[in-house]
């Protein structure tokens, strides 16, 4: 699945499952990921290490009130971006896989 540049609110309030595999999502051209996982009940986000955030400008509230606790990114730069995104729950930590 190829995402448009504005992927904001894509999984906001998502409550269909506690595990979400995003490894097949192409984010190469995404510039806005604000509120992408806001209020989602997903506890295990699989494949975040495959998400390309090189063009992302806005990650505000990306993980606000998310239920996830640990997730992985592919490179340290992405982990750092995710870890400092605004309103990320203090219980959520990104590590390099």
């Amino acid at each position: 699945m190829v995402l448009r540049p504005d992927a904001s609110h894509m999984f906001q309030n998502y409550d269909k499952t506690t595990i979400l595999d995003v490894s097949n999502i192409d984010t190469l051209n995404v510039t806005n990921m604000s509120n992408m996982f806001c209020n989602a009940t997903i506890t295990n986000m699989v494949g975040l290490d495959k998400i390309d955030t090189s063009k992302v400008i806005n990650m505000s509230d990306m993980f606000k009130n998310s239920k996830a606790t640990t997730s992985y990114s592919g490179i340290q730069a992405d982990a750092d971006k995710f870890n400092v995104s605004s309103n990320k729950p203090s219980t959520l930590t990104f590590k390099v896989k």
Side-chain angles (χ1 to χ4, degrees):
M1 172 193 305
V2 178
L3 298 186
R4 294 179 180 177
D6 186 356
S8 63
H9 306 278
M10 185 170 185
F11 297 104
Q12 184 172 357
N13 300 314
Y14 190 83
D15 64 357
K16 304 297 182 215
T17 183
T18 57
I19 299 171
L20 180 66
D21 185 350
V22 295
S23 60
N24 291 320
I25 295 177
D26 182 346
T27 59
L28 180 63
N29 294 310
V30 175
T31 57
N32 186 359
M33 290 185 172
S34 66
N35 294 289
M36 193 171 187
F37 299 101
C38 180
N39 298 318
T41 59
I42 306 159
T43 55
N44 186 0
M45 293 183 209
V46 178
L48 277 176
D49 58 312
K50 308 293 185 210
I51 288 183
D52 182 343
T53 62
S54 62
K55 295 181 183 174
V56 177
I57 298 166
N58 186 357
M59 293 176 97
S60 64
D61 297 332
M62 184 174 177
F63 299 100
K64 182 179 180 181
N65 298 322
S66 168
K67 302 298 183 214
T69 55
T70 302
S71 198
Y72 298 92
S73 60
I75 59 173
Q76 190 62 49
D78 286 345
D80 293 343
K81 272 187 180 180
F82 290 141
N83 281 322
V84 299
S85 59
S86 68
N87 288 311
K88 178 188 70 66
S90 60
T91 56
L92 176 57
T93 304
F94 288 90
K95 302 175 183 179
V96 177
K97 189 173 188 179

